[in-house]
Every structure is written in C-alpha cells, then in structure tokens.
mmCIF file of all heavy atoms in Angstrom:
data_model
loop_
_atom_site.group_PDB
_atom_site.id
_atom_site.type_symbol
_atom_site.label_atom_id
_atom_site.label_comp_id
_atom_site.label_asym_id
_atom_site.label_seq_id
_atom_site.Cartn_x
_atom_site.Cartn_y
_atom_site.Cartn_z
ATOM 1 N N SER I 120 -24.683 1.160 1.878
ATOM 2 C CA SER I 120 -25.704 0.999 0.839
ATOM 3 C C SER I 120 -26.464 2.312 0.683
ATOM 4 O O SER I 120 -26.719 3.014 1.667
ATOM 5 C CB SER I 120 -26.683 -0.116 1.218
ATOM 6 O OG SER I 120 -26.037 -1.375 1.222
ATOM 7 N N TYR I 121 -26.806 2.646 -0.560
ATOM 8 C CA TYR I 121 -27.479 3.913 -0.858
ATOM 9 C C TYR I 121 -28.872 3.646 -1.431
ATOM 10 O O TYR I 121 -29.045 2.761 -2.266
ATOM 11 C CB TYR I 121 -26.654 4.737 -1.842
ATOM 12 C CG TYR I 121 -25.322 5.171 -1.268
ATOM 13 C CD1 TYR I 121 -24.178 4.397 -1.458
ATOM 14 C CD2 TYR I 121 -25.222 6.338 -0.515
ATOM 15 C CE1 TYR I 121 -22.962 4.770 -0.915
ATOM 16 C CE2 TYR I 121 -24.009 6.722 0.027
ATOM 17 C CZ TYR I 121 -22.887 5.949 -0.177
ATOM 18 O OH TYR I 121 -21.683 6.317 0.372
ATOM 19 N N ILE I 122 -29.837 4.423 -0.952
ATOM 20 C CA ILE I 122 -31.222 4.266 -1.376
ATOM 21 C C ILE I 122 -31.660 5.519 -2.130
ATOM 22 O O ILE I 122 -31.489 6.645 -1.637
ATOM 23 C CB ILE I 122 -32.140 4.003 -0.168
ATOM 24 C CG1 ILE I 122 -31.737 2.693 0.516
ATOM 25 C CG2 ILE I 122 -33.596 3.952 -0.592
ATOM 26 C CD1 ILE I 122 -32.582 2.349 1.714
ATOM 27 N N TYR I 123 -32.224 5.313 -3.323
ATOM 28 C CA TYR I 123 -32.626 6.414 -4.195
ATOM 29 C C TYR I 123 -34.125 6.324 -4.491
ATOM 30 O O TYR I 123 -34.733 5.255 -4.365
ATOM 31 C CB TYR I 123 -31.860 6.350 -5.521
ATOM 32 C CG TYR I 123 -30.361 6.355 -5.365
ATOM 33 C CD1 TYR I 123 -29.663 5.164 -5.192
ATOM 34 C CD2 TYR I 123 -29.643 7.554 -5.388
ATOM 35 C CE1 TYR I 123 -28.283 5.159 -5.039
ATOM 36 C CE2 TYR I 123 -28.264 7.553 -5.245
ATOM 37 C CZ TYR I 123 -27.591 6.360 -5.070
ATOM 38 O OH TYR I 123 -26.221 6.357 -4.911
ATOM 39 N N ASP I 124 -34.706 7.447 -4.917
ATOM 40 C CA ASP I 124 -36.093 7.389 -5.358
ATOM 41 C C ASP I 124 -36.127 6.903 -6.805
ATOM 42 O O ASP I 124 -35.091 6.612 -7.408
ATOM 43 C CB ASP I 124 -36.797 8.736 -5.157
ATOM 44 C CG ASP I 124 -36.606 9.716 -6.304
ATOM 45 O OD1 ASP I 124 -35.614 9.606 -7.055
ATOM 46 O OD2 ASP I 124 -37.457 10.616 -6.461
ATOM 47 N N ILE I 125 -37.309 6.819 -7.397
ATOM 48 C CA ILE I 125 -37.446 6.232 -8.730
ATOM 49 C C ILE I 125 -36.763 7.073 -9.804
ATOM 50 O O ILE I 125 -36.411 6.571 -10.870
ATOM 51 C CB ILE I 125 -38.935 6.007 -9.063
ATOM 52 C CG1 ILE I 125 -39.085 5.016 -10.227
ATOM 53 C CG2 ILE I 125 -39.634 7.337 -9.344
ATOM 54 C CD1 ILE I 125 -40.469 4.473 -10.397
ATOM 55 N N LYS I 126 -36.503 8.352 -9.502
ATOM 56 C CA LYS I 126 -35.825 9.229 -10.452
ATOM 57 C C LYS I 126 -34.339 9.376 -10.172
ATOM 58 O O LYS I 126 -33.671 10.214 -10.781
ATOM 59 C CB LYS I 126 -36.504 10.603 -10.449
ATOM 60 C CG LYS I 126 -37.956 10.566 -10.934
ATOM 61 C CD LYS I 126 -38.594 11.944 -10.886
ATOM 62 C CE LYS I 126 -40.048 11.892 -11.363
ATOM 63 N NZ LYS I 126 -40.707 13.216 -11.265
ATOM 64 N N GLY I 127 -33.818 8.573 -9.242
ATOM 65 C CA GLY I 127 -32.388 8.586 -8.965
ATOM 66 C C GLY I 127 -31.946 9.592 -7.933
ATOM 67 O O GLY I 127 -30.740 9.818 -7.754
ATOM 68 N N ARG I 128 -32.868 10.196 -7.201
ATOM 69 C CA ARG I 128 -32.506 11.161 -6.166
ATOM 70 C C ARG I 128 -32.212 10.426 -4.854
ATOM 71 O O ARG I 128 -32.996 9.591 -4.415
ATOM 72 C CB ARG I 128 -33.632 12.175 -5.979
ATOM 73 C CG ARG I 128 -33.820 13.084 -7.188
ATOM 74 C CD ARG I 128 -35.070 13.936 -7.097
ATOM 75 N NE ARG I 128 -36.277 13.150 -7.297
ATOM 76 C CZ ARG I 128 -37.478 13.669 -7.525
ATOM 77 N NH1 ARG I 128 -37.613 14.985 -7.576
ATOM 78 N NH2 ARG I 128 -38.537 12.901 -7.699
ATOM 79 N N LEU I 129 -31.066 10.750 -4.225
ATOM 80 C CA LEU I 129 -30.638 10.053 -3.013
ATOM 81 C C LEU I 129 -31.600 10.335 -1.865
ATOM 82 O O LEU I 129 -31.897 11.488 -1.552
ATOM 83 C CB LEU I 129 -29.226 10.489 -2.618
ATOM 84 C CG LEU I 129 -28.634 9.803 -1.377
ATOM 85 C CD1 LEU I 129 -28.444 8.305 -1.630
ATOM 86 C CD2 LEU I 129 -27.299 10.448 -1.002
ATOM 87 N N LEU I 130 -32.074 9.267 -1.233
ATOM 88 C CA LEU I 130 -32.963 9.388 -0.080
ATOM 89 C C LEU I 130 -32.233 9.130 1.224
ATOM 90 O O LEU I 130 -32.486 9.790 2.227
ATOM 91 C CB LEU I 130 -34.133 8.403 -0.202
ATOM 92 C CG LEU I 130 -35.063 8.564 -1.404
ATOM 93 C CD1 LEU I 130 -36.166 7.510 -1.351
ATOM 94 C CD2 LEU I 130 -35.668 9.959 -1.444
ATOM 95 N N ALA I 131 -31.322 8.144 1.229
ATOM 96 C CA ALA I 131 -30.671 7.780 2.480
ATOM 97 C C ALA I 131 -29.490 6.870 2.199
ATOM 98 O O ALA I 131 -29.345 6.304 1.117
ATOM 99 C CB ALA I 131 -31.658 7.065 3.412
ATOM 100 N N SER I 132 -28.635 6.742 3.208
ATOM 101 C CA SER I 132 -27.561 5.758 3.180
ATOM 102 C C SER I 132 -27.716 4.866 4.403
ATOM 103 O O SER I 132 -28.141 5.316 5.462
ATOM 104 C CB SER I 132 -26.189 6.441 3.188
ATOM 105 O OG SER I 132 -26.045 7.275 4.327
ATOM 106 N N ILE I 133 -27.395 3.595 4.223
ATOM 107 C CA ILE I 133 -27.539 2.615 5.307
ATOM 108 C C ILE I 133 -26.197 1.934 5.508
ATOM 109 O O ILE I 133 -25.593 1.437 4.554
ATOM 110 C CB ILE I 133 -28.600 1.548 4.965
ATOM 111 C CG1 ILE I 133 -29.968 2.203 4.747
ATOM 112 C CG2 ILE I 133 -28.692 0.509 6.064
ATOM 113 C CD1 ILE I 133 -31.037 1.218 4.340
ATOM 114 N N HIS I 134 -25.731 1.916 6.722
ATOM 115 C CA HIS I 134 -24.468 1.235 7.001
ATOM 116 C C HIS I 134 -24.426 0.784 8.445
ATOM 117 O O HIS I 134 -25.168 1.273 9.297
ATOM 118 C CB HIS I 134 -23.278 2.152 6.699
ATOM 119 C CG HIS I 134 -23.324 3.471 7.428
ATOM 120 N ND1 HIS I 134 -22.931 3.616 8.731
ATOM 121 C CD2 HIS I 134 -23.737 4.694 7.029
ATOM 122 C CE1 HIS I 134 -23.077 4.877 9.105
ATOM 123 N NE2 HIS I 134 -23.578 5.552 8.089
ATOM 124 N N GLY I 135 -23.541 -0.162 8.703
ATOM 125 C CA GLY I 135 -23.309 -0.597 10.066
ATOM 126 C C GLY I 135 -22.307 0.333 10.712
ATOM 127 O O GLY I 135 -22.418 1.559 10.653
ATOM 128 N N GLU I 136 -21.273 -0.216 11.284
ATOM 129 C CA GLU I 136 -20.248 0.614 11.911
ATOM 130 C C GLU I 136 -19.500 1.422 10.871
ATOM 131 O O GLU I 136 -19.116 2.566 11.090
ATOM 132 C CB GLU I 136 -19.263 -0.278 12.680
ATOM 133 C CG GLU I 136 -18.133 0.496 13.333
ATOM 134 C CD GLU I 136 -17.108 -0.392 13.976
ATOM 135 O OE1 GLU I 136 -17.320 -1.618 13.990
ATOM 136 O OE2 GLU I 136 -16.098 0.134 14.447
ATOM 137 N N ALA I 137 -19.251 0.816 9.693
ATOM 138 C CA ALA I 137 -18.409 1.442 8.684
ATOM 139 C C ALA I 137 -19.236 2.099 7.587
ATOM 140 O O ALA I 137 -19.945 1.425 6.857
ATOM 141 C CB ALA I 137 -17.466 0.403 8.073
ATOM 142 N N ASN I 138 -19.139 3.434 7.508
ATOM 143 C CA ASN I 138 -19.760 4.179 6.428
ATOM 144 C C ASN I 138 -18.727 4.283 5.311
ATOM 145 O O ASN I 138 -17.816 5.102 5.370
ATOM 146 C CB ASN I 138 -20.170 5.565 6.930
ATOM 147 C CG ASN I 138 -20.820 6.403 5.854
ATOM 148 O OD1 ASN I 138 -21.481 5.870 4.962
ATOM 149 N ND2 ASN I 138 -20.636 7.707 5.919
ATOM 150 N N ARG I 139 -18.872 3.452 4.270
ATOM 151 C CA ARG I 139 -17.801 3.324 3.278
ATOM 152 C C ARG I 139 -18.358 3.121 1.880
ATOM 153 O O ARG I 139 -19.364 2.442 1.689
ATOM 154 C CB ARG I 139 -16.907 2.124 3.640
ATOM 155 C CG ARG I 139 -15.794 1.851 2.644
ATOM 156 C CD ARG I 139 -15.038 0.559 2.938
ATOM 157 N NE ARG I 139 -14.213 0.667 4.121
ATOM 158 C CZ ARG I 139 -14.420 -0.003 5.252
ATOM 159 N NH1 ARG I 139 -15.454 -0.822 5.352
ATOM 160 N NH2 ARG I 139 -13.625 0.136 6.291
ATOM 161 N N GLU I 140 -17.664 3.725 0.908
ATOM 162 C CA GLU I 140 -17.920 3.467 -0.507
ATOM 163 C C GLU I 140 -16.586 3.122 -1.148
ATOM 164 O O GLU I 140 -15.664 3.940 -1.150
ATOM 165 C CB GLU I 140 -18.534 4.688 -1.187
ATOM 166 C CG GLU I 140 -18.834 4.481 -2.661
ATOM 167 C CD GLU I 140 -19.448 5.695 -3.326
ATOM 168 O OE1 GLU I 140 -19.858 6.624 -2.588
ATOM 169 O OE2 GLU I 140 -19.514 5.730 -4.558
ATOM 170 N N VAL I 141 -16.444 1.919 -1.672
ATOM 171 C CA VAL I 141 -15.178 1.447 -2.221
ATOM 172 C C VAL I 141 -14.979 1.974 -3.645
ATOM 173 O O VAL I 141 -15.904 1.962 -4.450
ATOM 174 C CB VAL I 141 -15.126 -0.097 -2.209
ATOM 175 C CG1 VAL I 141 -13.891 -0.614 -2.936
ATOM 176 C CG2 VAL I 141 -15.135 -0.598 -0.769
ATOM 177 N N VAL I 142 -13.751 2.448 -3.918
ATOM 178 C CA VAL I 142 -13.405 2.906 -5.264
ATOM 179 C C VAL I 142 -12.071 2.287 -5.674
ATOM 180 O O VAL I 142 -11.213 2.030 -4.830
ATOM 181 C CB VAL I 142 -13.301 4.443 -5.341
ATOM 182 C CG1 VAL I 142 -14.656 5.086 -5.229
ATOM 183 C CG2 VAL I 142 -12.348 4.981 -4.280
ATOM 184 N N PRO I 143 -11.866 2.025 -6.968
ATOM 185 C CA PRO I 143 -10.579 1.474 -7.418
ATOM 186 C C PRO I 143 -9.472 2.516 -7.340
ATOM 187 O O PRO I 143 -9.724 3.723 -7.288
ATOM 188 C CB PRO I 143 -10.861 1.060 -8.864
ATOM 189 C CG PRO I 143 -12.009 1.903 -9.286
ATOM 190 C CD PRO I 143 -12.838 2.137 -8.056
ATOM 191 N N LEU I 144 -8.241 2.048 -7.357
ATOM 192 C CA LEU I 144 -7.083 2.917 -7.186
ATOM 193 C C LEU I 144 -7.008 3.994 -8.262
ATOM 194 O O LEU I 144 -6.590 5.126 -7.996
ATOM 195 C CB LEU I 144 -5.799 2.070 -7.185
ATOM 196 C CG LEU I 144 -4.530 2.748 -6.672
ATOM 197 C CD1 LEU I 144 -4.675 3.127 -5.208
ATOM 198 C CD2 LEU I 144 -3.317 1.832 -6.861
ATOM 199 N N ASP I 145 -7.407 3.664 -9.486
ATOM 200 C CA ASP I 145 -7.304 4.640 -10.563
ATOM 201 C C ASP I 145 -8.377 5.727 -10.485
ATOM 202 O O ASP I 145 -8.389 6.650 -11.299
ATOM 203 C CB ASP I 145 -7.330 3.959 -11.937
ATOM 204 C CG ASP I 145 -8.608 3.165 -12.190
ATOM 205 O OD1 ASP I 145 -9.547 3.257 -11.372
ATOM 206 O OD2 ASP I 145 -8.670 2.437 -13.198
ATOM 207 N N ARG I 146 -9.285 5.623 -9.506
ATOM 208 C CA ARG I 146 -10.268 6.680 -9.276
ATOM 209 C C ARG I 146 -9.982 7.428 -7.978
ATOM 210 O O ARG I 146 -10.859 8.018 -7.359
ATOM 211 C CB ARG I 146 -11.685 6.097 -9.256
ATOM 212 C CG ARG I 146 -12.194 5.724 -10.648
ATOM 213 C CD ARG I 146 -13.523 5.007 -10.581
ATOM 214 N NE ARG I 146 -14.513 5.721 -9.759
ATOM 215 C CZ ARG I 146 -15.615 5.159 -9.274
ATOM 216 N NH1 ARG I 146 -15.858 3.872 -9.515
ATOM 217 N NH2 ARG I 146 -16.463 5.854 -8.554
ATOM 218 N N ILE I 147 -8.710 7.421 -7.576
ATOM 219 C CA ILE I 147 -8.258 8.165 -6.401
ATOM 220 C C ILE I 147 -7.202 9.159 -6.864
ATOM 221 O O ILE I 147 -6.291 8.804 -7.621
ATOM 222 C CB ILE I 147 -7.691 7.222 -5.330
ATOM 223 C CG1 ILE I 147 -8.778 6.255 -4.837
ATOM 224 C CG2 ILE I 147 -7.132 8.015 -4.144
ATOM 225 C CD1 ILE I 147 -8.286 5.201 -3.886
ATOM 226 N N SER I 148 -7.314 10.385 -6.425
ATOM 227 C CA SER I 148 -6.409 11.442 -6.848
ATOM 228 C C SER I 148 -4.936 11.062 -6.637
ATOM 229 O O SER I 148 -4.558 10.615 -5.541
ATOM 230 C CB SER I 148 -6.709 12.724 -6.055
ATOM 231 O OG SER I 148 -5.664 13.657 -6.165
ATOM 232 N N PRO I 149 -4.075 11.234 -7.644
ATOM 233 C CA PRO I 149 -2.637 10.995 -7.457
ATOM 234 C C PRO I 149 -2.053 11.842 -6.334
ATOM 235 O O PRO I 149 -1.148 11.391 -5.620
ATOM 236 C CB PRO I 149 -2.039 11.383 -8.822
ATOM 237 C CG PRO I 149 -3.162 11.209 -9.788
ATOM 238 C CD PRO I 149 -4.402 11.596 -9.040
ATOM 239 N N ASP I 150 -2.570 13.058 -6.150
ATOM 240 C CA ASP I 150 -2.100 13.910 -5.058
ATOM 241 C C ASP I 150 -2.352 13.252 -3.705
ATOM 242 O O ASP I 150 -1.517 13.337 -2.793
ATOM 243 C CB ASP I 150 -2.807 15.262 -5.098
ATOM 244 C CG ASP I 150 -2.279 16.173 -6.199
ATOM 245 O OD1 ASP I 150 -1.092 16.028 -6.556
ATOM 246 O OD2 ASP I 150 -3.049 17.008 -6.694
ATOM 247 N N LEU I 151 -3.525 12.608 -3.564
ATOM 248 C CA LEU I 151 -3.828 11.961 -2.291
ATOM 249 C C LEU I 151 -2.935 10.750 -2.072
ATOM 250 O O LEU I 151 -2.438 10.525 -0.967
ATOM 251 C CB LEU I 151 -5.301 11.547 -2.240
ATOM 252 C CG LEU I 151 -5.702 10.887 -0.913
ATOM 253 C CD1 LEU I 151 -5.647 11.900 0.216
ATOM 254 C CD2 LEU I 151 -7.081 10.276 -0.989
ATOM 255 N N LYS I 152 -2.704 9.961 -3.114
ATOM 256 C CA LYS I 152 -1.820 8.794 -2.967
ATOM 257 C C LYS I 152 -0.423 9.227 -2.541
ATOM 258 O O LYS I 152 0.182 8.622 -1.655
ATOM 259 C CB LYS I 152 -1.794 7.998 -4.271
ATOM 260 C CG LYS I 152 -3.097 7.262 -4.566
ATOM 261 C CD LYS I 152 -3.050 6.457 -5.845
ATOM 262 C CE LYS I 152 -3.331 7.292 -7.053
ATOM 263 N NZ LYS I 152 -3.569 6.496 -8.281
ATOM 264 N N ARG I 153 0.102 10.284 -3.172
ATOM 265 C CA ARG I 153 1.430 10.781 -2.793
ATOM 266 C C ARG I 153 1.440 11.295 -1.361
ATOM 267 O O ARG I 153 2.364 11.030 -0.596
ATOM 268 C CB ARG I 153 1.846 11.913 -3.740
ATOM 269 C CG ARG I 153 2.039 11.519 -5.185
ATOM 270 C CD ARG I 153 2.591 12.695 -5.980
ATOM 271 N NE ARG I 153 2.638 12.412 -7.397
ATOM 272 C CZ ARG I 153 1.782 12.833 -8.299
ATOM 273 N NH1 ARG I 153 0.751 13.573 -7.916
ATOM 274 N NH2 ARG I 153 1.925 12.528 -9.573
ATOM 275 N N ALA I 154 0.386 12.053 -1.004
ATOM 276 C CA ALA I 154 0.332 12.642 0.335
ATOM 277 C C ALA I 154 0.280 11.576 1.415
ATOM 278 O O ALA I 154 0.957 11.676 2.443
ATOM 279 C CB ALA I 154 -0.882 13.568 0.441
ATOM 280 N N VAL I 155 -0.520 10.551 1.190
ATOM 281 C CA VAL I 155 -0.636 9.477 2.181
ATOM 282 C C VAL I 155 0.685 8.752 2.343
ATOM 283 O O VAL I 155 1.152 8.491 3.470
ATOM 284 C CB VAL I 155 -1.762 8.496 1.784
ATOM 285 C CG1 VAL I 155 -1.695 7.233 2.649
ATOM 286 C CG2 VAL I 155 -3.119 9.157 1.934
ATOM 287 N N MET I 156 1.331 8.412 1.238
ATOM 288 C CA MET I 156 2.610 7.706 1.345
ATOM 289 C C MET I 156 3.692 8.591 1.946
ATOM 290 O O MET I 156 4.538 8.126 2.712
ATOM 291 C CB MET I 156 3.027 7.180 -0.022
ATOM 292 C CG MET I 156 2.230 5.962 -0.454
ATOM 293 S SD MET I 156 2.860 5.205 -1.951
ATOM 294 C CE MET I 156 2.458 6.475 -3.128
ATOM 295 N N ALA I 157 3.657 9.885 1.641
ATOM 296 C CA ALA I 157 4.666 10.793 2.177
ATOM 297 C C ALA I 157 4.640 10.815 3.693
ATOM 298 O O ALA I 157 5.690 10.790 4.349
ATOM 299 C CB ALA I 157 4.449 12.195 1.616
ATOM 300 N N ILE I 158 3.449 10.850 4.286
ATOM 301 C CA ILE I 158 3.348 10.993 5.739
ATOM 302 C C ILE I 158 3.248 9.657 6.464
ATOM 303 O O ILE I 158 3.592 9.541 7.638
ATOM 304 C CB ILE I 158 2.137 11.885 6.106
ATOM 305 C CG1 ILE I 158 2.302 12.460 7.514
ATOM 306 C CG2 ILE I 158 0.838 11.138 5.938
ATOM 307 C CD1 ILE I 158 3.466 13.413 7.653
ATOM 308 N N GLU I 159 2.814 8.616 5.752
ATOM 309 C CA GLU I 159 2.612 7.329 6.404
ATOM 310 C C GLU I 159 3.679 6.295 6.053
ATOM 311 O O GLU I 159 4.024 5.455 6.887
ATOM 312 C CB GLU I 159 1.226 6.766 6.039
ATOM 313 C CG GLU I 159 0.061 7.564 6.564
ATOM 314 C CD GLU I 159 -0.030 7.563 8.085
ATOM 315 O OE1 GLU I 159 0.322 6.523 8.702
ATOM 316 O OE2 GLU I 159 -0.418 8.595 8.652
ATOM 317 N N ASP I 160 4.207 6.333 4.833
ATOM 318 C CA ASP I 160 5.131 5.262 4.414
ATOM 319 C C ASP I 160 5.808 5.661 3.101
ATOM 320 O O ASP I 160 5.457 5.181 2.033
ATOM 321 C CB ASP I 160 4.335 3.960 4.239
ATOM 322 C CG ASP I 160 5.216 2.748 3.987
ATOM 323 O OD1 ASP I 160 6.450 2.910 3.921
ATOM 324 O OD2 ASP I 160 4.655 1.638 3.854
ATOM 325 N N SER I 161 6.828 6.527 3.198
ATOM 326 C CA SER I 161 7.443 7.057 1.981
ATOM 327 C C SER I 161 8.255 6.014 1.215
ATOM 328 O O SER I 161 8.576 6.209 0.048
ATOM 329 C CB SER I 161 8.342 8.247 2.319
ATOM 330 O OG SER I 161 9.362 7.874 3.233
ATOM 331 N N HIS I 162 8.609 4.901 1.863
ATOM 332 C CA HIS I 162 9.355 3.824 1.197
ATOM 333 C C HIS I 162 8.436 2.657 0.820
ATOM 334 O O HIS I 162 8.907 1.534 0.651
ATOM 335 C CB HIS I 162 10.490 3.318 2.098
ATOM 336 C CG HIS I 162 11.567 4.327 2.319
ATOM 337 N ND1 HIS I 162 12.417 4.738 1.334
ATOM 338 C CD2 HIS I 162 11.923 5.026 3.434
ATOM 339 C CE1 HIS I 162 13.269 5.635 1.817
ATOM 340 N NE2 HIS I 162 12.973 5.836 3.091
ATOM 341 N N PHE I 163 7.130 2.949 0.698
ATOM 342 C CA PHE I 163 6.150 1.895 0.459
ATOM 343 C C PHE I 163 6.537 0.981 -0.698
ATOM 344 O O PHE I 163 6.415 -0.243 -0.600
ATOM 345 C CB PHE I 163 4.778 2.529 0.189
ATOM 346 C CG PHE I 163 3.718 1.560 -0.240
ATOM 347 C CD1 PHE I 163 3.190 0.641 0.657
ATOM 348 C CD2 PHE I 163 3.236 1.559 -1.545
ATOM 349 C CE1 PHE I 163 2.197 -0.253 0.265
ATOM 350 C CE2 PHE I 163 2.251 0.668 -1.946
ATOM 351 C CZ PHE I 163 1.734 -0.241 -1.037
ATOM 352 N N TYR I 164 7.009 1.542 -1.792
ATOM 353 C CA TYR I 164 7.295 0.729 -2.972
ATOM 354 C C TYR I 164 8.654 0.026 -2.908
ATOM 355 O O TYR I 164 9.032 -0.669 -3.842
ATOM 356 C CB TYR I 164 7.202 1.586 -4.243
ATOM 357 C CG TYR I 164 5.798 1.626 -4.801
ATOM 358 C CD1 TYR I 164 4.876 2.556 -4.340
ATOM 359 C CD2 TYR I 164 5.373 0.704 -5.750
ATOM 360 C CE1 TYR I 164 3.587 2.579 -4.830
ATOM 361 C CE2 TYR I 164 4.078 0.723 -6.250
ATOM 362 C CZ TYR I 164 3.190 1.655 -5.782
ATOM 363 O OH TYR I 164 1.902 1.672 -6.261
#
C-alpha cells in the first residue's frame, strides 16, 4: 500500500512480508517475458 500527501507526493509504502505492486501482463516488457521464459521455461506455451 502506498501513502501520498494531499498533492500526490509519495510519503511511504506499507507492506507485510511481501513488498509488491501488481501489474497486468500487457504492462510488462515483452523483453522481460521472453527473458524469463528463456531461462526458466522455454517450452511454457
């Protein structure tokens, strides 16, 4: 979770064990998707 001031300036982030911000697949670089599958699971599809 992210906390901002009244003008939208980031003040802090709050998280438990996992510091995470979820994004949809179409907002992830194609280069990163290829790189991950190449080294982790090239036959994924």
Side-chain angles (χ1 to χ4, degrees):
S120 293
Y121 295 92
I122 298 180
Y123 304 88
D124 86 336
I125 198 165
K126 296 179 180 177
R128 293 171 287 194
L129 182 65
L130 299 181
S132 58
I133 300 177
H134 55 81
E136 178 185 355
N138 180 31
R139 177 187 289 113
E140 180 180 348
V141 173
V142 289
L144 195 63
D145 60 8
R146 286 173 51 197
I147 298 174
S148 165
D150 284 332
L151 181 68
K152 289 181 277 192
R153 295 186 187 102
V155 168
M156 285 188 292
I158 201 65
E159 294 295 326
D160 188 359
S161 59
H162 293 291
F163 173 71
Y164 272 86

